[in-house]
Amino acid sequence: EEAVLEWLEGGGRVDERFECDFGDGSRESGISLLMVAMINGHEGLAEALLQRGADVSLQDSSSITALVLAAAYGFEKLVE
């Protein structure tokens, strides 16, 4: 979390997109930092990204949004 915040303070884009490899061997492109925070239940990081203007409507290569991911992984509090 701290490393991401430092990266943002250094000029990193809040809606930066990248590819992500998951533990099950799957790979998705178009993943945002907010999506990663939501998948892993990092409430503080998600809040910090949203305060910096992270776009909750961005979709990954499978047309999934950060809110859908949070709900799918059981982090209902993040969906609120």
Side-chain angles (χ1 to χ4, degrees):
E1 185 172 319
E2 187 175 317
V4 172
L5 296 176
E6 286 179 20
W7 179 75
L8 290 169
E9 294 297 325
R13 294 185 348 202
V14 71
D15 284 326
E16 185 72 33
R17 312 275 290 264
F18 54 94
E19 287 189 10
C20 187
D21 294 317
F22 295 96
D24 65 0
S26 65
R27 169 178 257 176
E28 286 290 332
S29 60
I31 299 290
S32 70
L33 294 170
L34 182 59
M35 290 175 188
V36 173
M38 295 290 210
I39 289 169
N40 292 293
H42 294 292
E43 185 177 343
L45 179 56
E47 184 65 33
L49 292 167
L50 290 168
Q51 288 176 356
R52 287 172 169 79
D55 186 350
V56 296
S57 67
L58 289 179
Q59 298 177 354
D60 67 10
S61 60
S62 297
S63 300
I64 304 294
T65 66
L67 293 176
V68 170
L69 289 168
Y73 281 83
F75 299 113
E76 291 84 13
K77 187 173 181 180
L78 290 173
V79 177
E80 296 172 7

